[in-house]
Amino acid sequence: MTTEMQQTGGEPPATADEHVLETSGVTLRFGGLTSLDRIALRMRRGEILAIIGPNGAGKTSLFNSLTGAYVPQEGTITFRPRAGGEHELRGRKPHVVSRLGLARTFQNIRLFGALTALENVKIAVETRQKTDAVSIMLGLPNARRDERESDRRAHEVLAFVGLEHRLNELAASLSYGEQRRLEIARGLATAPELLLLDEPAAGTNPTEKHDLEELIRRINEDLGVSVLLIEHDMRLVMSVAHRVVVLNFGQKIAEGTPAQVQREPAVIEAYLGASPEEDSAAVEEAAAVQAEHREREERA
């Protein structure tokens, strides 16, 4: 059963207009396997919302459903841009979802390794431009203007993520942490209102994780971008997320502030594979066995 927990201390309930993203009854099946089971969530505009859960919980399936890679069989996915109105995302093509104002990164880095960091970001900028192929081939004024603008914007985004000194380096030659930041820069280059980060800290070292933590905060606070985050690093989640949603076997089992969620018995059971009572008993049993072993050694 899903446990709904409200923020304590504080904020009045968000109205519908304040929710940048809302899903209701989202169900995704692959044959007889249910990957997402009636997922309902509401994301406030301007917040950092983390989606956590064990491997196979359905986190990436949810991201794929939000961005058009998968089409759920049931449910609604509503996106509300600042300009107003509502857009149903279920069944939309990924490029349409991107144009509406959503951008994402992937668990496995998907950069153009043979292109420079600057070129990778310019490609993303140009998805927002309207110059046609004929104008580009003929070098018309609008094409030249868009080229200058994409170059300026790409430099700006690379400076924001701390890669301005690497802009002419091939993406494949960057360190793993730099590649992660470059992927984020490419997402930001599309000027999103909602940025989806799929395990951005995977494979990074402690220093890179700290830098990533600061970058996520800056994206949220300085750029005003809402951030939906999938992450297994609980220290990172607990330090940056305003709220946390927990999935397990395709179902939402908890929702609340980081402090509330980490005390929720259903969350502890999902991660440890046992109820808190069973886990405590197991610890006591292990301690008794160790004590008995030490006693035997002393007698010997």
Side-chain angles (χ1 to χ4, degrees):
M1 180 179 293
T2 298
T3 301
E4 296 279 358
M5 295 175 286
Q6 300 298 321
Q7 293 263 14
T8 58
E11 300 180 31
T15 64
D17 289 342
E18 292 172 324
H19 291 125
V20 64
L21 182 71
E22 184 172 353
T23 73
S24 177
V26 171
T27 300
L28 178 68
R29 302 185 189 90
F30 297 99
L33 174 66
T34 300
S35 181
L36 297 172
D37 188 4
R38 295 168 294 174
I39 297 297
L41 65 83
R42 291 180 175 180
M43 181 177 183
R44 299 185 181 102
R45 192 181 310 282
E47 80 171 334
I48 301 174
L49 177 63
I51 309 291
I52 67 171
N55 289 330
K59 304 181 297 296
T60 297
S61 290
L62 178 60
F63 264 32
N64 287 338
S65 297
L66 297 177
T67 55
Y70 294 162
V71 180
Q73 286 82 2
E74 301 172 19
T76 60
I77 304 171
T78 305
F79 174 64
R80 299 184 179 93
R82 288 192 184 92
E86 295 185 352
H87 300 278
E88 173 56 41
L89 301 184
R90 186 167 76 96
R92 298 275 188 129
K93 298 294 185 183
H95 70 277
V96 176
V97 173
S98 175
R99 283 189 173 275
L100 288 174
L102 280 76
R104 72 168 294 181
T105 64
F106 296 85
Q107 283 184 26
N108 301 315
I109 295 174
R110 299 186 182 183
L111 297 171
F112 299 106
L115 300 182
T116 66
L118 180 65
E119 290 167 337
N120 268 274
V121 177
K122 285 181 69 174
I123 288 172
V125 175
E126 289 163 3
T127 63
R128 287 287 190 167
Q129 296 177 337
K130 298 180 179 179
T131 302
D132 58 77
V134 174
S135 297
I136 295 172
M137 288 188 292
L138 296 177
L140 297 182
N142 64 323
R144 295 197 300 272
R145 182 174 60 250
D146 279 352
E147 172 65 21
R148 291 192 298 270
E149 173 58 23
S150 69
D151 195 70
R152 182 200 66 78
R153 175 64 178 158
H155 277 81
E156 182 181 80
V157 173
L158 285 167
F160 184 84
V161 302
L163 290 178
E164 67 275 18
H165 62 297
R166 305 281 273 165
L167 58 89
N168 290 317
E169 301 288 335
L170 293 180
S173 71
L174 301 179
S175 70
Y176 195 80
E178 289 173 332
Q179 289 184 17
R180 285 286 182 190
R181 279 188 283 155
L182 179 56
E183 232 197 359
I184 293 173
R186 195 170 59 178
L188 292 175
T190 65
E193 293 191 29
L194 174 57
L195 179 63
L196 290 74
L197 302 177
D198 194 349
E199 298 190 30
T204 59
N205 61 43
T207 300
E208 291 168 336
K209 282 186 173 70
H210 179 268
D211 291 343
L212 175 64
E213 180 181 323
E214 293 302 314
L215 177 59
I216 292 172
R217 286 201 184 96
R218 289 174 53 229
I219 290 170
N220 180 245
E221 296 170 5
D222 297 351
L223 302 182
V225 175
S226 304
V227 178
L228 188 59
L229 169 71
I230 291 176
E231 186 51 64
H232 283 291
D233 188 314
M234 289 301 101
R235 192 203 64 80
L236 176 63
V237 169
M238 297 304 168
S239 66
V240 303
H242 300 131
R243 291 189 305 122
V244 178
V245 169
V246 187
L247 301 183
N248 192 33
F249 292 112
Q251 296 183 327
K252 185 173 75 171
I253 62 171
E255 179 176 0
T257 65
Q260 290 170 328
V261 164
Q262 65 185 349
R263 295 193 301 266
E264 174 60 33
V267 177
I268 297 171
E269 183 174 355
Y271 273 95
L272 298 180
S275 68
E277 294 80 8
E278 292 171 330
D279 187 62
S280 177
V283 171
E284 291 176 2
E285 182 180 351
V289 170
Q290 290 177 346
E292 183 180 353
H293 182 68
R294 285 196 300 270
E295 186 177 338
R296 287 176 179 173
E297 286 184 338
E298 289 172 358
R299 284 200 301 266

